[in-house]
Amino acid sequence: MAAITFGILIVSDSRSEGSEKDGSGPELKRLVSDVETDTGKILKGEILQFGVVPDNEAVIMEYLLRWSDIKQLNVILTSGGTGFSDRDVTPEATKKVINKEAPGIAIAMVISSLKVTPMAVLSRAVCGIRGKTLIINLPGSPKAVKECLTSIASAIPHAVDLISNRHADVAKIHVLYENKEITHNCSHNSSFTSLLHLECVAKRQRESPYPMLSVEEAKELIYKNTVLQETETVTIWNAHNRVLAEDVYSLCDLPPFRASIKDGYAVLAKDGKGRRRVLGGVRAGTTATSISLESGTCVRVNTGAPIPDDATAVVQVEDTKLILKNSYNTAELEIEITTIPQEGQDIRPIGCDLQKGSLVLMSHSKIGAAEVGLLAACGCKEVKVFKSPRIGVLSTGDELQQPGNDLMPGHVYDSNTITLISMFREYGFNPENLGIAKDDEASMVNAIKTALEKVDVLITSGSVSMGDRDMLKPVLQQHFGATIHFGRVNMKPGKPTTFATCFYNGNKKYFMCLPGNPVSATVTSILFVLPLLNRLQGDFSQPVTVKAELTTSYKLDPRPEYARAILKWRDEKDYPKAYSTGDQISSKLLSCKNANALLMLPGKTQARATVNAGDTVQAMLLGYRCTL
């Protein structure tokens, strides 16, 4: 058996700064290469990575992710940061990167340590698995490190074997070429693709190895495995459709002076009705500091213009009469006020809209047209936002053909690429067209490699179901070391939707692999891709759902169904009426035409096999389109 490969990560502010000598690191290096246990077994390993980092959750996660996903070490041992202080965050960082917990290892260490000290009950160590890597949290002191590692040393080689075997089993869908029975019947090739050719179809799996998750469970896995994009500063001219990465406060009072709400005259309200001598006028963009009002006088003002400091009301033009003008008809000399002005009438006080230093927009707010205007009004020139994820759309399938040429026999035009790209543009993203990949291992691998050089999120359609040429999941696992977080969802349409992540050139990449049927790809983009993209750029908002009254009866499917519909509102009705867009078969893109909602139909039960016209169901609104 090959030596087990180890990474040792020392977590300590003082040791990373050099103010304290590291004793645990040398002890771990010695122990990993020679650990004697109670059973007499010896653990021998090869240390490939060693690091000392501060008690910083993001930094710890970065090392754990890089060592497990890129270096693919068998075991990572951390030491330190497992206590109760505010800076002890190693368990929290570990929980965020592992796919499966291994609580038995932590329990074994606690039981062993309790023989030495009752304080062992305070241990917060987390142990778990990420891909092919076992991650174990150890205490910070050299003595405790030895006690804990010795107690579990005999289990580590077997754990590594199990992890390796389990990783292979997860990929059962493509049948490993090492299987002697299959290689005997099929032409052997160094890649798994040969096992998916027609001559081996009889050997393919008849059941998906991926558990069936609910839509809510699938979304939770997306949220759990999504890391926010970095931030950048942009001018407000480039901020539209971006998401704020920090709170924004007003740089000035709005308005910054007492301003008139109407075109009219600034007056002393206590003078009441009657004639007023016009002292002059103040236009928007000028000041009124040189004008002082006295009883019986007024000043002509325009909407938005500053008013004299001693003015207590503004009377609109419509409530006045002209009494006297100059001989040139160019100026008003005297007017009559026909209504009784009230104190503060039609005056906007300083800061009545926004006060200097007040909160304007909260972090994670999406910036629309109104928000951009508000930023400008309060004096902001630039804002900090989350970077938008770079996204690409890739269709897969031997049968696909670009529109524009005569259709070849057995082919269909690729409608998914343009549909998905157009949808993402509607939501403010700028996707890249990555073309079509054939159902061939080399073609698919090359297309994905090219994509990962350009994008953060790769959205594919096709090659995720149970067909003998559906090879996307095994390609992602074997060639890119991807973790499949889910591979089936309990929904109609879109059951084989798949979400995966990997690290490529040190950067985390996301895969949303959608079914090839056009309606399935569209619906699953709404339910899964858009939440992923929004989450990456800091937008945590949720879709809007309303109750809708059905105008059509539906036979329920065992799976919850998302049916396309047109909602129409009527003033006299409590709920909008839902009109079906027609045949809901997943290949019929026509059913998405003019749809402004997805009806969320429940799964079939013994008690309920249909929903009928007049029943109400939840409906998810699409965009902001409403038919009145």
Short mmCIF file of all heavy atoms in Angstrom, two decimals, residues 110-169:
data_model
loop_
_atom_site.label_atom_id
_atom_site.label_comp_id
_atom_site.label_asym_id
_atom_site.label_seq_id
_atom_site.Cartn_x
_atom_site.Cartn_y
_atom_site.Cartn_z
N VAL A 110 -12.11 12.28 22.34
CA VAL A 110 -12.62 12.80 23.62
C VAL A 110 -12.55 11.72 24.70
O VAL A 110 -12.12 11.96 25.83
CB VAL A 110 -14.06 13.31 23.45
CG1 VAL A 110 -14.67 13.63 24.82
CG2 VAL A 110 -14.10 14.54 22.57
N ILE A 111 -12.98 10.50 24.32
CA ILE A 111 -12.96 9.40 25.30
C ILE A 111 -11.54 9.15 25.79
O ILE A 111 -11.29 8.96 27.00
CB ILE A 111 -13.55 8.12 24.66
CG1 ILE A 111 -15.05 8.30 24.44
CG2 ILE A 111 -13.28 6.90 25.54
CD1 ILE A 111 -15.69 7.17 23.67
N SER A 112 -10.60 9.16 24.86
CA SER A 112 -9.20 8.95 25.25
C SER A 112 -8.69 10.07 26.14
O SER A 112 -8.01 9.83 27.14
CB SER A 112 -8.34 8.83 23.99
OG SER A 112 -6.97 8.76 24.30
N SER A 113 -9.04 11.31 25.79
CA SER A 113 -8.56 12.46 26.56
C SER A 113 -9.19 12.54 27.95
O SER A 113 -8.58 13.06 28.89
CB SER A 113 -8.84 13.76 25.78
OG SER A 113 -8.16 13.76 24.55
N LEU A 114 -10.41 12.03 28.08
CA LEU A 114 -11.07 12.06 29.39
C LEU A 114 -10.34 11.21 30.42
O LEU A 114 -10.48 11.42 31.63
CB LEU A 114 -12.52 11.59 29.26
CG LEU A 114 -13.51 12.60 28.68
CD1 LEU A 114 -14.85 11.96 28.39
CD2 LEU A 114 -13.67 13.79 29.63
N LYS A 115 -9.57 10.26 29.95
CA LYS A 115 -8.77 9.44 30.86
C LYS A 115 -7.63 10.25 31.47
O LYS A 115 -7.07 9.88 32.51
CB LYS A 115 -8.20 8.23 30.13
CG LYS A 115 -9.27 7.27 29.60
CD LYS A 115 -8.64 6.14 28.79
CE LYS A 115 -9.71 5.21 28.21
NZ LYS A 115 -9.10 4.13 27.38
N VAL A 116 -7.32 11.37 30.79
CA VAL A 116 -6.22 12.21 31.24
C VAL A 116 -6.73 13.42 32.02
O VAL A 116 -6.19 13.78 33.06
CB VAL A 116 -5.38 12.68 30.03
CG1 VAL A 116 -4.23 13.59 30.50
CG2 VAL A 116 -4.85 11.49 29.25
N THR A 117 -7.81 14.04 31.50
CA THR A 117 -8.32 15.25 32.16
C THR A 117 -9.82 15.37 31.92
O THR A 117 -10.30 15.12 30.80
CB THR A 117 -7.63 16.53 31.62
OG1 THR A 117 -8.31 17.68 32.13
CG2 THR A 117 -7.64 16.58 30.11
N PRO A 118 -10.59 15.77 32.94
CA PRO A 118 -12.04 15.97 32.75
C PRO A 118 -12.34 17.16 31.85
O PRO A 118 -13.46 17.30 31.34
CB PRO A 118 -12.56 16.20 34.17
CG PRO A 118 -11.38 16.69 34.94
CD PRO A 118 -10.18 15.98 34.35
N MET A 119 -11.34 18.04 31.64
CA MET A 119 -11.55 19.20 30.79
C MET A 119 -11.73 18.82 29.31
O MET A 119 -12.06 19.66 28.46
CB MET A 119 -10.36 20.18 30.92
CG MET A 119 -10.24 20.82 32.29
SD MET A 119 -11.69 21.81 32.74
CE MET A 119 -12.32 20.83 34.09
N ALA A 120 -11.50 17.55 28.99
CA ALA A 120 -11.65 17.10 27.59
C ALA A 120 -13.08 17.26 27.10
O ALA A 120 -13.33 17.29 25.88
CB ALA A 120 -11.22 15.65 27.45
N VAL A 121 -14.04 17.38 28.02
CA VAL A 121 -15.44 17.56 27.59
C VAL A 121 -15.63 18.89 26.86
O VAL A 121 -16.64 19.10 26.19
CB VAL A 121 -16.40 17.50 28.79
CG1 VAL A 121 -16.38 16.13 29.42
CG2 VAL A 121 -16.07 18.58 29.82
N LEU A 122 -14.66 19.78 26.99
CA LEU A 122 -14.76 21.10 26.35
C LEU A 122 -14.25 21.08 24.91
O LEU A 122 -14.24 22.12 24.24
CB LEU A 122 -13.99 22.14 27.16
CG LEU A 122 -14.42 22.31 28.62
CD1 LEU A 122 -13.57 23.37 29.30
CD2 LEU A 122 -15.90 22.67 28.70
N SER A 123 -13.84 19.92 24.45
CA SER A 123 -13.33 19.82 23.08
C SER A 123 -14.42 20.13 22.07
O SER A 123 -15.55 19.68 22.19
CB SER A 123 -12.77 18.42 22.81
OG SER A 123 -12.45 18.27 21.45
N ARG A 124 -14.08 20.91 21.03
CA ARG A 124 -15.03 21.22 19.96
C ARG A 124 -14.54 20.70 18.61
O ARG A 124 -14.94 21.19 17.55
CB ARG A 124 -15.25 22.74 19.86
CG ARG A 124 -15.90 23.36 21.07
CD ARG A 124 -16.41 24.76 20.77
NE ARG A 124 -15.42 25.61 20.11
CZ ARG A 124 -15.56 26.09 18.88
NH1 ARG A 124 -16.62 25.78 18.15
NH2 ARG A 124 -14.62 26.85 18.35
N ALA A 125 -13.65 19.72 18.65
CA ALA A 125 -13.04 19.22 17.41
C ALA A 125 -14.11 18.72 16.44
O ALA A 125 -15.10 18.12 16.83
CB ALA A 125 -12.06 18.11 17.71
N VAL A 126 -13.88 18.99 15.14
CA VAL A 126 -14.74 18.50 14.06
C VAL A 126 -13.89 17.64 13.14
O VAL A 126 -12.77 18.01 12.79
CB VAL A 126 -15.37 19.67 13.27
CG1 VAL A 126 -16.03 19.18 11.99
CG2 VAL A 126 -16.39 20.40 14.14
N CYS A 127 -14.43 16.50 12.75
CA CYS A 127 -13.74 15.62 11.80
C CYS A 127 -14.72 15.30 10.67
O CYS A 127 -15.92 15.15 10.90
CB CYS A 127 -13.29 14.33 12.48
SG CYS A 127 -12.21 14.61 13.91
N GLY A 128 -14.19 15.19 9.47
CA GLY A 128 -15.08 14.91 8.35
C GLY A 128 -14.33 14.64 7.07
O GLY A 128 -13.10 14.60 7.02
N ILE A 129 -15.11 14.48 5.99
CA ILE A 129 -14.57 14.08 4.70
C ILE A 129 -14.93 15.12 3.66
O ILE A 129 -16.08 15.58 3.60
CB ILE A 129 -15.15 12.71 4.27
CG1 ILE A 129 -14.87 11.65 5.33
CG2 ILE A 129 -14.61 12.28 2.91
CD1 ILE A 129 -15.79 10.46 5.25
N ARG A 130 -13.95 15.48 2.85
CA ARG A 130 -14.20 16.30 1.67
C ARG A 130 -13.58 15.59 0.47
O ARG A 130 -12.36 15.46 0.39
CB ARG A 130 -13.62 17.70 1.80
CG ARG A 130 -13.89 18.54 0.54
CD ARG A 130 -13.41 19.96 0.64
NE ARG A 130 -13.70 20.65 -0.60
CZ ARG A 130 -14.87 21.22 -0.91
NH1 ARG A 130 -15.86 21.16 -0.06
NH2 ARG A 130 -15.05 21.81 -2.07
N GLY A 131 -14.43 15.11 -0.45
CA GLY A 131 -13.90 14.37 -1.59
C GLY A 131 -13.16 13.13 -1.15
O GLY A 131 -13.71 12.23 -0.53
N LYS A 132 -11.86 13.09 -1.43
CA LYS A 132 -11.02 11.95 -1.06
C LYS A 132 -10.20 12.22 0.20
O LYS A 132 -9.31 11.43 0.53
CB LYS A 132 -10.07 11.62 -2.21
CG LYS A 132 -10.75 11.18 -3.49
CD LYS A 132 -9.69 10.88 -4.56
CE LYS A 132 -10.31 10.44 -5.87
NZ LYS A 132 -9.28 10.15 -6.90
N THR A 133 -10.47 13.32 0.87
CA THR A 133 -9.60 13.76 1.97
C THR A 133 -10.32 13.68 3.32
O THR A 133 -11.46 14.13 3.45
CB THR A 133 -9.13 15.21 1.73
OG1 THR A 133 -8.46 15.27 0.47
CG2 THR A 133 -8.19 15.66 2.83
N LEU A 134 -9.64 13.12 4.31
CA LEU A 134 -10.11 13.09 5.68
C LEU A 134 -9.50 14.27 6.43
O LEU A 134 -8.28 14.46 6.41
CB LEU A 134 -9.70 11.78 6.35
CG LEU A 134 -10.02 11.61 7.84
CD1 LEU A 134 -11.52 11.62 8.07
CD2 LEU A 134 -9.39 10.33 8.38
N ILE A 135 -10.34 15.08 7.08
CA ILE A 135 -9.88 16.26 7.82
C ILE A 135 -10.16 16.04 9.30
O ILE A 135 -11.29 15.73 9.69
CB ILE A 135 -10.58 17.53 7.33
CG1 ILE A 135 -10.33 17.75 5.83
CG2 ILE A 135 -10.10 18.75 8.13
CD1 ILE A 135 -11.09 18.91 5.24
N ILE A 136 -9.12 16.19 10.14
CA ILE A 136 -9.22 15.93 11.58
C ILE A 136 -8.72 17.15 12.35
O ILE A 136 -7.59 17.61 12.13
CB ILE A 136 -8.40 14.68 11.98
CG1 ILE A 136 -8.91 13.44 11.23
CG2 ILE A 136 -8.44 14.46 13.48
CD1 ILE A 136 -8.04 12.21 11.43
N ASN A 137 -9.56 17.67 13.24
CA ASN A 137 -9.15 18.77 14.12
C ASN A 137 -8.51 18.21 15.39
O ASN A 137 -9.12 17.41 16.11
CB ASN A 137 -10.35 19.61 14.54
CG ASN A 137 -10.96 20.40 13.40
OD1 ASN A 137 -12.05 20.93 13.54
ND2 ASN A 137 -10.29 20.48 12.27
N LEU A 138 -7.30 18.63 15.69
CA LEU A 138 -6.59 18.24 16.91
C LEU A 138 -6.41 19.46 17.81
O LEU A 138 -6.47 20.60 17.33
CB LEU A 138 -5.23 17.65 16.55
CG LEU A 138 -5.23 16.38 15.69
CD1 LEU A 138 -3.82 16.05 15.22
CD2 LEU A 138 -5.82 15.21 16.46
N PRO A 139 -6.18 19.24 19.11
CA PRO A 139 -5.94 20.37 20.02
C PRO A 139 -4.64 21.10 19.65
O PRO A 139 -3.91 20.70 18.73
CB PRO A 139 -5.83 19.70 21.39
CG PRO A 139 -6.41 18.34 21.21
CD PRO A 139 -6.16 17.94 19.80
N GLY A 140 -4.34 22.16 20.41
CA GLY A 140 -3.19 22.99 20.07
C GLY A 140 -1.89 22.62 20.77
O GLY A 140 -0.81 22.91 20.25
N SER A 141 -1.94 21.95 21.92
CA SER A 141 -0.70 21.66 22.66
C SER A 141 -0.05 20.39 22.15
O SER A 141 -0.74 19.44 21.74
CB SER A 141 -0.99 21.53 24.15
OG SER A 141 -1.62 20.29 24.42
N PRO A 142 1.29 20.32 22.16
CA PRO A 142 1.99 19.11 21.70
C PRO A 142 1.55 17.86 22.47
O PRO A 142 1.39 16.79 21.88
CB PRO A 142 3.46 19.44 21.95
CG PRO A 142 3.53 20.93 21.91
CD PRO A 142 2.23 21.40 22.49
N LYS A 143 1.33 17.98 23.79
CA LYS A 143 0.94 16.83 24.61
C LYS A 143 -0.43 16.31 24.17
O LYS A 143 -0.64 15.11 23.97
CB LYS A 143 0.93 17.22 26.08
CG LYS A 143 0.54 16.09 27.05
CD LYS A 143 0.64 16.58 28.48
CE LYS A 143 0.26 15.48 29.47
NZ LYS A 143 -1.14 15.09 29.36
N ALA A 144 -1.40 17.23 24.01
CA ALA A 144 -2.75 16.83 23.62
C ALA A 144 -2.79 16.28 22.21
O ALA A 144 -3.55 15.36 21.90
CB ALA A 144 -3.70 18.02 23.75
N VAL A 145 -1.96 16.85 21.34
CA VAL A 145 -1.87 16.35 19.96
C VAL A 145 -1.46 14.88 19.95
O VAL A 145 -2.06 14.05 19.25
CB VAL A 145 -0.86 17.20 19.15
CG1 VAL A 145 -0.35 16.44 17.93
CG2 VAL A 145 -1.51 18.50 18.70
N LYS A 146 -0.46 14.55 20.75
CA LYS A 146 0.03 13.17 20.80
C LYS A 146 -1.05 12.24 21.34
O LYS A 146 -1.30 11.16 20.79
CB LYS A 146 1.29 13.08 21.65
CG LYS A 146 1.87 11.67 21.74
CD LYS A 146 3.15 11.64 22.55
CE LYS A 146 3.71 10.22 22.62
NZ LYS A 146 4.96 10.17 23.41
N GLU A 147 -1.70 12.63 22.44
CA GLU A 147 -2.73 11.78 23.05
C GLU A 147 -3.88 11.51 22.07
O GLU A 147 -4.32 10.36 21.91
CB GLU A 147 -3.29 12.46 24.30
CG GLU A 147 -2.29 12.55 25.45
CD GLU A 147 -2.76 13.49 26.55
OE1 GLU A 147 -3.84 14.12 26.36
OE2 GLU A 147 -2.06 13.64 27.57
N CYS A 148 -4.33 12.55 21.40
CA CYS A 148 -5.48 12.40 20.50
C CYS A 148 -5.13 11.61 19.25
O CYS A 148 -5.88 10.71 18.83
CB CYS A 148 -6.04 13.77 20.12
SG CYS A 148 -6.87 14.60 21.49
N LEU A 149 -4.00 11.93 18.63
CA LEU A 149 -3.64 11.25 17.39
C LEU A 149 -3.34 9.77 17.65
O LEU A 149 -3.71 8.90 16.84
CB LEU A 149 -2.44 11.94 16.73
CG LEU A 149 -2.07 11.41 15.34
CD1 LEU A 149 -3.25 11.50 14.38
CD2 LEU A 149 -0.88 12.18 14.78
N THR A 150 -2.71 9.48 18.77
CA THR A 150 -2.42 8.09 19.11
C THR A 150 -3.71 7.27 19.25
O THR A 150 -3.77 6.12 18.83
CB THR A 150 -1.62 8.02 20.43
OG1 THR A 150 -0.39 8.72 20.26
CG2 THR A 150 -1.31 6.59 20.81
N SER A 151 -4.75 7.89 19.80
CA SER A 151 -6.00 7.17 20.05
C SER A 151 -6.73 6.79 18.77
O SER A 151 -7.55 5.86 18.77
CB SER A 151 -6.92 8.01 20.94
OG SER A 151 -7.39 9.15 20.26
N ILE A 152 -6.46 7.47 17.65
CA ILE A 152 -7.20 7.19 16.41
C ILE A 152 -6.30 6.69 15.29
O ILE A 152 -6.78 6.41 14.19
CB ILE A 152 -7.94 8.46 15.93
CG1 ILE A 152 -6.93 9.58 15.65
CG2 ILE A 152 -8.99 8.89 16.93
CD1 ILE A 152 -7.54 10.79 14.97
N ALA A 153 -4.98 6.56 15.57
CA ALA A 153 -4.02 6.24 14.51
C ALA A 153 -4.36 4.95 13.79
O ALA A 153 -4.24 4.85 12.56
CB ALA A 153 -2.61 6.17 15.10
N SER A 154 -4.81 3.93 14.52
CA SER A 154 -5.05 2.63 13.88
C SER A 154 -6.22 2.68 12.91
O SER A 154 -6.33 1.84 12.01
CB SER A 154 -5.33 1.58 14.96
OG SER A 154 -6.47 1.95 15.73
N ALA A 155 -7.11 3.66 13.07
CA ALA A 155 -8.28 3.75 12.19
C ALA A 155 -8.01 4.54 10.92
O ALA A 155 -8.76 4.43 9.95
CB ALA A 155 -9.44 4.39 12.96
N ILE A 156 -6.94 5.35 10.91
CA ILE A 156 -6.72 6.25 9.78
C ILE A 156 -6.48 5.49 8.46
O ILE A 156 -7.09 5.83 7.44
CB ILE A 156 -5.59 7.24 10.09
CG1 ILE A 156 -6.07 8.24 11.16
CG2 ILE A 156 -5.14 7.98 8.84
CD1 ILE A 156 -5.03 9.25 11.60
N PRO A 157 -5.60 4.47 8.41
CA PRO A 157 -5.40 3.77 7.13
C PRO A 157 -6.69 3.18 6.58
O PRO A 157 -6.97 3.26 5.38
CB PRO A 157 -4.38 2.69 7.47
CG PRO A 157 -3.66 3.21 8.67
CD PRO A 157 -4.69 3.95 9.46
N HIS A 158 -7.49 2.57 7.46
CA HIS A 158 -8.74 1.98 7.00
C HIS A 158 -9.71 3.07 6.52
O HIS A 158 -10.44 2.88 5.53
CB HIS A 158 -9.37 1.17 8.13
CG HIS A 158 -10.57 0.37 7.71
ND1 HIS A 158 -10.57 -0.44 6.59
CD2 HIS A 158 -11.82 0.29 8.25
CE1 HIS A 158 -11.76 -1.00 6.46
NE2 HIS A 158 -12.54 -0.57 7.45
N ALA A 159 -9.71 4.20 7.23
CA ALA A 159 -10.57 5.32 6.81
C ALA A 159 -10.20 5.80 5.42
O ALA A 159 -11.06 6.08 4.58
CB ALA A 159 -10.47 6.46 7.82
N VAL A 160 -8.88 5.90 5.16
CA VAL A 160 -8.41 6.33 3.85
C VAL A 160 -8.86 5.35 2.77
O VAL A 160 -9.32 5.75 1.68
CB VAL A 160 -6.88 6.50 3.84
CG1 VAL A 160 -6.36 6.72 2.43
CG2 VAL A 160 -6.47 7.66 4.74
N ASP A 161 -8.78 4.06 3.06
CA ASP A 161 -9.24 3.04 2.10
C ASP A 161 -10.73 3.19 1.83
O ASP A 161 -11.19 3.13 0.68
CB ASP A 161 -8.97 1.63 2.64
CG ASP A 161 -7.48 1.26 2.57
OD1 ASP A 161 -6.76 1.94 1.80
OD2 ASP A 161 -7.08 0.33 3.28
N LEU A 162 -11.51 3.37 2.89
CA LEU A 162 -12.95 3.50 2.73
C LEU A 162 -13.33 4.73 1.91
O LEU A 162 -14.21 4.69 1.05
CB LEU A 162 -13.63 3.57 4.10
CG LEU A 162 -13.65 2.27 4.91
CD1 LEU A 162 -14.22 2.53 6.30
CD2 LEU A 162 -14.47 1.21 4.19
N ILE A 163 -12.64 5.84 2.20
CA ILE A 163 -12.92 7.07 1.45
C ILE A 163 -12.63 6.87 -0.03
O ILE A 163 -13.40 7.26 -0.91
CB ILE A 163 -12.09 8.25 2.00
CG1 ILE A 163 -12.57 8.61 3.41
CG2 ILE A 163 -12.20 9.47 1.09
CD1 ILE A 163 -11.68 9.58 4.13
N SER A 164 -11.52 6.21 -0.33
CA SER A 164 -11.17 5.96 -1.72
C SER A 164 -12.21 5.09 -2.40
O SER A 164 -12.67 5.36 -3.50
CB SER A 164 -9.79 5.31 -1.81
OG SER A 164 -9.47 5.01 -3.14
N ASN A 165 -12.62 4.03 -1.71
CA ASN A 165 -13.63 3.14 -2.29
C ASN A 165 -14.97 3.84 -2.43
O ASN A 165 -15.66 3.65 -3.43
CB ASN A 165 -13.80 1.89 -1.40
CG ASN A 165 -12.58 0.98 -1.46
OD1 ASN A 165 -11.83 1.03 -2.42
ND2 ASN A 165 -12.38 0.19 -0.42
N ARG A 166 -15.33 4.64 -1.43
CA ARG A 166 -16.61 5.32 -1.49
C ARG A 166 -16.62 6.30 -2.66
O ARG A 166 -17.61 6.44 -3.37
CB ARG A 166 -16.88 6.06 -0.19
CG ARG A 166 -18.17 6.82 -0.23
CD ARG A 166 -18.68 7.16 1.15
NE ARG A 166 -17.75 7.91 1.92
CZ ARG A 166 -17.10 7.43 2.99
NH1 ARG A 166 -17.31 6.18 3.38
NH2 ARG A 166 -16.26 8.17 3.66
N HIS A 167 -15.50 6.98 -2.89
CA HIS A 167 -15.44 7.93 -4.00
C HIS A 167 -15.65 7.21 -5.32
O HIS A 167 -16.29 7.72 -6.23
CB HIS A 167 -14.08 8.64 -4.00
CG HIS A 167 -13.96 9.67 -5.07
ND1 HIS A 167 -14.61 10.88 -5.00
CD2 HIS A 167 -13.30 9.66 -6.25
CE1 HIS A 167 -14.34 11.59 -6.07
NE2 HIS A 167 -13.56 10.88 -6.85
N ALA A 168 -15.11 5.99 -5.42
CA ALA A 168 -15.30 5.23 -6.65
C ALA A 168 -16.76 4.82 -6.79
O ALA A 168 -17.33 4.85 -7.88
CB ALA A 168 -14.39 4.01 -6.66
N ASP A 169 -17.38 4.40 -5.65
CA ASP A 169 -18.76 3.95 -5.72
C ASP A 169 -19.70 5.07 -6.15
O ASP A 169 -20.71 4.82 -6.81
CB ASP A 169 -19.21 3.42 -4.35
CG ASP A 169 -18.55 2.08 -4.02
OD1 ASP A 169 -18.05 1.44 -4.96
OD2 ASP A 169 -18.53 1.70 -2.84
#
